[in-house]
Amino acid sequence: MRAHPLATDAVLAFGAFVAMVVGSFADPHGPHGPTFGTRTPEPFSLLLMLLGAAALVFRRRQPRAVLAVTCGLSLLELTTGEPRAPVAMCTVIALYTVAARTDRPTTWRIGLLTMAGLTGVAMLAGPLPWYAQENIGIFAWTGMAAAAGDAVRSRRAFVDAIRERAERAERTRDEEARRRVAEERLRIARDLHDVVAHHIALVNVQAGVAAHVMDKRPDQAKEALAHVRDASRSALNELRATVGLLRQSGDPEAPTEPAPGLGVLDELVDTFRHAGLPVEVIVQLDGAAGPLPAAVDLAAYRVIQEALTNVRKHAGAGAKAEVSVVRVGPSVEVTVLDDGGEAADAAPEPTDPPGGGHGLLGMRERTGALGGTCFAGPRYGGGYRVHATLPLA
């Protein structure tokens, strides 16, 4: 029916024409109700019924025009037909179509006008008495057509609204799922970068030291190789923990170790000290205020890890670093400074070097995800400064 509306309306029009022709042979004033075969419609009435049925074929394309045409045909029949034929059935169907395809105020305006017009003409200008049941029937059928069309329109609007809400909820769920997947991938990428950049940088430094002193100072070379082994073991453990997040839920092999935080900051700093980078640490956290939120704790740890890794990779020989973690009101401020070492007078490292890594970007993303800020830039007189503010709320 939806695929071929014109054919459907043609079938409906044919059925209405047959019903009108059959009804025109019935006498409603029989002794025991309507009696068929006691009267015959006039040729003009048959013509009006045929024209009204033909107009119904286009009721969906031009509903108001079809209503106007059928009303005109019905008025002709009401004023001239004797015996009267049920041409008004076309108007009933056309009024239902208009009511079902327009808004409620328009429906009632057009419906009341149609009801009053047809009924008034039938009562005042027709051949029957004004109180005849045919006149009351016209009023009742047109009123029911308007009410039925309005009810169908309301039902369709209700169903469409439910369907739209369901589709919008489905789109929202899909968008939320995609957003969470993207955030999780970004978080895992940041963790992988932090782990690999930190440990591989230390391994590279210690391997270079071992190769340099292997012949002259084998004991120091052995110590450097031991640091290489420890750094590589730590890298493997953290990589295993990070990649384990990609396992299916419920997998017994998925890691359950807690994420690193400021509680293991001393171990992190020791790895850099063993690599030859002197680091001073100042931590001033009010214990009475309670522990830091897990996300803030992890972000502070990763910012310090990435900043010290950049110092070890880019600062000159003999560089020193300072790390401070201070709770200031409703936030935690993390600062990592270095003096630049022997390359302090050289041009500072640009904040976002062309073709560089993603360390600074990762720090900004971590702090931004928590509603904080992160600044990284050269210091006056040489060196570099990283300052991150992490809200506790």
Side-chain angles (χ1 to χ4, degrees), residues 61-98:
R61 294 186 177 182
Q62 299 290 336
R64 299 193 183 187
V66 171
L67 177 61
V69 170
T70 54
C71 282
L73 297 176
S74 298
L75 291 175
L76 284 176
E77 175 62 24
L78 291 175
T79 55
T80 61
E82 181 59 37
R84 183 180 293 175
V87 181
M89 182 182 295
C90 297
T91 305
V92 171
I93 298 175
L95 180 59
Y96 165 83
T97 304
V98 171

Side-chain angles (χ1 to χ4, degrees), residues 13 31-32 99 108 133 136 142 154 167 188 194 205 241 288 292 295 297 307 309 319 337 341 344 356 375 384:
H32 303 289
W108 287 113
Q133 63 180 5
I136 306 300
T142 51
S154 300
E167 293 175 354
I188 293 174
D194 293 342
V205 171
L292 298 179
D297 195 25
T309 301
L337 307 174
F375 168 80
Y384 214 72

Side-chain angles (χ1 to χ4, degrees), residues 50-311:
L50 179 61
L51 293 177
L56 292 179
V57 176
F58 307 98
R59 67 185 186 95
R60 300 195 200 187
R61 294 186 177 182
Q62 299 290 336
R64 299 193 183 187
V66 171
L67 177 61
V69 170
T70 54
C71 282
L73 297 176
S74 298
L75 291 175
L76 284 176
E77 175 62 24
L78 291 175
T79 55
T80 61
E82 181 59 37
R84 183 180 293 175
V87 181
M89 182 182 295
C90 297
T91 305
V92 171
I93 298 175
L95 180 59
Y96 165 83
T97 304
V98 171
R101 301 173 72 87
T102 186
D103 56 277
R104 178 165 294 174
T106 304
T107 294
W108 287 113
R109 284 197 298 269
I110 295 178
L112 290 175
L113 180 62
T114 304
M115 293 164 57
L118 291 182
T119 306
V121 170
M123 289 182 175
L124 301 177
L128 299 176
W130 69 269
Y131 53 82
Q133 63 180 5
E134 288 92 335
N135 298 336
I136 306 300
I138 291 174
F139 181 83
W141 278 103
T142 51
M144 286 189 295
D150 182 71
V152 169
R153 180 198 56 77
S154 300
R155 175 65 180 175
R156 290 174 179 171
F158 177 73
V159 172
D160 291 341
I162 292 178
R163 184 181 296 110
E164 182 182 359
R165 285 198 297 268
E167 293 175 354
R168 186 165 57 249
E170 186 67 23
R171 290 195 301 268
T172 302
R173 284 194 296 268
D174 293 342
E175 292 172 359
E176 179 68 14
R178 287 194 294 268
R179 184 186 65 82
R180 292 191 177 187
V181 168
E183 289 181 353
E184 185 66 14
R185 292 176 60 185
L186 181 60
R187 187 182 67 83
I188 293 174
R190 283 198 301 260
D191 288 339
L192 287 174
H193 173 271
D194 293 342
V195 171
V196 172
H198 165 60
H199 291 291
I200 297 303
L202 295 183
V203 168
N204 180 58
V205 171
Q206 296 291 352
V209 172
H212 182 68
V213 301
M214 180 67 71
D215 297 331
K216 299 180 179 179
R217 287 174 286 179
D219 293 339
Q220 186 176 354
K222 185 181 297 183
E223 181 181 356
L225 292 176
H227 291 319
V228 169
R229 180 187 59 196
D230 295 338
S232 60
R233 183 186 297 113
S234 299
L236 289 175
N237 291 335
E238 293 200 37
L239 284 173
R240 187 179 299 111
T242 303
V243 176
L245 296 174
L246 302 177
R247 294 181 181 273
Q248 297 180 356
S249 60
D251 191 335
E253 297 182 5
T256 58
E257 297 86 352
L262 296 179
V264 293
L265 180 60
D266 292 338
E267 299 178 9
L268 174 67
V269 172
D270 287 341
T271 61
F272 287 99
R273 289 170 178 165
H274 293 155
L277 175 65
V279 182
E280 295 183 4
V281 179
I282 300 175
V283 178
Q284 295 180 356
L285 298 176
D286 186 4
L292 298 179
V296 175
D297 195 25
L298 174 61
Y301 178 88
R302 292 303 190 192
V303 168
I304 296 172
Q305 182 185 51
E306 179 61 29
L308 291 178
T309 301
N310 288 339
V311 173

